[in-house]
Amino acid sequence: MPVVTIQQSPGRSKEQKQLLIQRITEAFEEAYELPPEAVTVFFQNFDDEHWGKAGKLHCDRK
Protein backbone atom coordinates (compact mmCIF):
# COMPACT_ATOMS: atom_id res chain seq x y z
CA MET A 1 0.00 0.00 0.00
CA PRO A 2 2.13 2.93 -1.19
CA VAL A 3 1.65 6.38 0.29
CA VAL A 4 3.04 9.28 -1.74
CA THR A 5 3.51 12.74 -0.20
CA ILE A 6 4.03 15.68 -2.51
CA GLN A 7 5.54 18.70 -0.80
CA GLN A 8 5.07 21.90 -2.76
CA SER A 9 4.34 25.58 -2.62
CA PRO A 10 0.69 26.57 -3.12
CA GLY A 11 -0.63 27.62 -6.48
CA ARG A 12 -1.60 24.47 -8.33
CA SER A 13 -5.19 24.15 -9.43
CA LYS A 14 -7.51 21.33 -8.39
CA GLU A 15 -7.38 20.07 -11.99
CA GLN A 16 -3.57 19.94 -11.95
CA LYS A 17 -3.57 17.99 -8.70
CA GLN A 18 -6.24 15.61 -10.02
CA LEU A 19 -4.12 14.94 -13.10
CA LEU A 20 -0.99 14.33 -11.03
CA ILE A 21 -2.80 11.91 -8.69
CA GLN A 22 -4.17 10.06 -11.71
CA ARG A 23 -0.74 9.69 -13.31
CA ILE A 24 0.98 8.67 -10.08
CA THR A 25 -1.71 6.07 -9.46
CA GLU A 26 -1.37 4.74 -13.01
CA ALA A 27 2.40 4.42 -12.53
CA PHE A 28 1.92 2.29 -9.42
CA GLU A 29 -0.73 0.22 -11.18
CA GLU A 30 1.71 -0.51 -14.00
CA ALA A 31 4.96 -0.88 -12.06
CA TYR A 32 3.67 -2.67 -8.94
CA GLU A 33 0.55 -4.24 -10.45
CA LEU A 34 -1.63 -2.70 -7.74
CA PRO A 35 -5.28 -1.72 -7.90
CA PRO A 36 -5.84 2.05 -7.80
CA GLU A 37 -7.51 1.74 -4.40
CA ALA A 38 -4.14 0.73 -2.94
CA VAL A 39 -2.47 4.05 -3.78
CA THR A 40 -2.78 7.08 -1.48
CA VAL A 41 -1.44 10.53 -2.43
CA PHE A 42 -1.15 13.49 -0.07
CA PHE A 43 -0.38 17.09 -0.98
CA GLN A 44 1.44 19.10 1.65
CA ASN A 45 1.63 22.80 0.82
CA PHE A 46 4.23 25.16 2.25
CA ASP A 47 3.88 28.88 1.75
CA ASP A 48 6.93 30.90 0.74
CA GLU A 49 7.88 31.71 4.35
CA HIS A 50 8.15 28.04 5.28
CA TRP A 51 10.81 26.78 2.88
CA GLY A 52 14.05 27.94 1.41
CA LYS A 53 16.76 27.17 -1.10
CA ALA A 54 20.40 28.21 -1.41
CA GLY A 55 20.42 29.70 2.08
CA LYS A 56 17.40 31.97 1.67
CA LEU A 57 13.68 31.76 2.35
CA HIS A 58 11.77 31.47 -0.88
CA CYS A 59 9.82 34.66 -0.10
CA ASP A 60 13.12 36.58 -0.01
CA ARG A 61 14.24 35.32 -3.42
CA LYS A 62 11.49 37.05 -5.40
Side-chain angles (χ1 to χ4, degrees), residues 30-62:
E30 181 182 334
Y32 286 9
E33 299 179 358
L34 291 172
E37 297 80 17
V39 182
T40 301
V41 179
F42 291 102
F43 288 98
Q44 187 174 21
N45 291 319
F46 295 94
D47 65 33
D48 291 343
E49 291 184 17
H50 291 96
W51 71 280
K53 183 176 178 180
K56 294 185 178 182
L57 286 172
H58 190 260
C59 61
D60 294 336
R61 297 176 56 91
K62 294 181 178 182

Side-chain angles (χ1 to χ4, degrees), residues 14-29:
K14 180 179 177 182
E15 292 77 19
Q16 288 174 311
K17 291 183 275 188
Q18 286 173 325
L19 178 60
L20 186 55
I21 287 175
Q22 177 186 347
R23 291 190 178 168
I24 289 168
T25 301
E26 289 169 354
F28 275 102
E29 287 179 271

